Amino acid sequence: MAVLTIPKENKVINNSQEIREFFNQRSIFFDQWECDVIFDDTASQDEILVAYEKDLKPFMSKGGYQTADVISINKLTENYDLIRAKFLAEHTHSEDEIRFFVDGKGEFWFHLESGEVFCLLCEKGDLIAVPAGTKHWFDAGKENPFVKAIRIFIDMSGWVPHYTDSKIELEFSKI
Ligand SMILES: [Fe+2]
């Protein structure tokens, strides 16, 4: 279940409804999907996408999203340090970055134009849509990363990161 942290206010919010309202007020979509299927490590991308179809299909057709896939990051992932560094520097994308956590966990950090900085720890069942143009970074942790997530795109080319070079991410780290 998601946990929202607002470091400058020393605030941690665990309540899903409060988290939903917090993101709603900032025009950021956050949702939680349930699924009875328990996947093991051999589950294929298609098995996972089918298991979440009842939520995934209406979400995609409503938002005009065209493709979905499943990414896995774990301790066996090659060049994890390089992959982590790519996600860890503050950046934006030209389209929404949408992730649904099938398993594992990771932190999405947001840096809004208002100056607010907050972190959403996403875990199994959490969906977050980082709006296009919103400054953010992501961390699955330095050691033993574990993320299994559905990615949802309009056009995958929109996922290219545009780095801000602000280095703001160095001021914050939690996992
Ligand atoms: Fe991103």
Side-chain angles (χ1 to χ4, degrees):
M1 296 291 268
V3 179
L4 174 64
T5 305
I6 311 164
K8 280 194 177 143
E9 294 178 25
N10 272 329
K11 213 170 172 181
V12 177
I13 303 173
N14 295 292
N15 181 285
S16 294
Q17 193 51 38
E18 276 182 54
I19 294 174
R20 204 178 286 255
E21 280 162 21
F22 178 93
F23 281 104
N24 257 341
Q25 285 161 2
R26 289 158 182 80
S27 303
I28 298 169
F29 186 76
F30 166 76
D31 201 3
Q32 291 175 317
W33 293 349
E34 284 177 14
C35 170
D36 295 333
V37 182
I38 295 170
F39 304 103
D40 61 23
D41 281 347
T42 61
S44 70
Q45 167 168 292
D46 286 346
E47 281 174 278
I48 293 171
L49 293 175
V50 165
Y52 282 98
E53 207 163 41
K54 73 171 172 39
D55 292 304
L56 191 58
K57 262 199 166 166
F59 176 83
M60 288 181 71
S61 61
K62 194 174 168 204
Y65 300 110
Q66 302 299 315
T67 57
D69 67 7
V70 177
I71 55 142
S72 287
I73 297 172
N74 57 46
K75 59 183 181 208
L76 301 176
T77 301
E78 281 181 34
N79 298 322
Y80 174 66
D81 288 348
L82 292 175
I83 294 169
R84 179 174 182 241
K86 209 171 87 178
F87 297 148
L88 199 53
E90 185 184 70
H91 61 277
T92 64
H93 304 284
S94 62
E95 80 161 74
D96 301 348
E97 176 171 343
I98 305 170
R99 297 291 178 272
F100 171 76
F101 282 70
V102 174
D103 208 345
K105 64 179 178 180
E107 289 179 343
F108 271 100
W109 286 84
F110 291 77
H111 177 201
L112 303 191
E113 290 308 311
S114 62
E116 275 186 303
V117 175
F118 47 87
C119 167
L120 184 71
L121 171 69
C122 292
E123 295 182 298
K124 183 180 177 180
D126 298 323
L127 180 144
I128 186 72
V130 181
T134 299
K135 289 181 276 187
H136 68 282
W137 64 98
F138 176 79
D139 195 9
K142 197 169 167 33
E143 317 253 313
N144 291 324
F146 180 37
V147 175
K148 191 171 282 197
I150 299 177
R151 310 187 297 179
I152 300 162
F153 301 97
I154 292 174
D155 177 350
M156 210 184 256
S157 66
W159 191 50
V160 174
H162 302 285
Y163 293 104
T164 66
D165 295 324
S166 72
K167 307 270 191 288
I168 188 172
E169 66 280 355
L170 301 176
E171 296 171 33
F172 303 89
S173 94
K174 258 180 63 254
I175 276 191

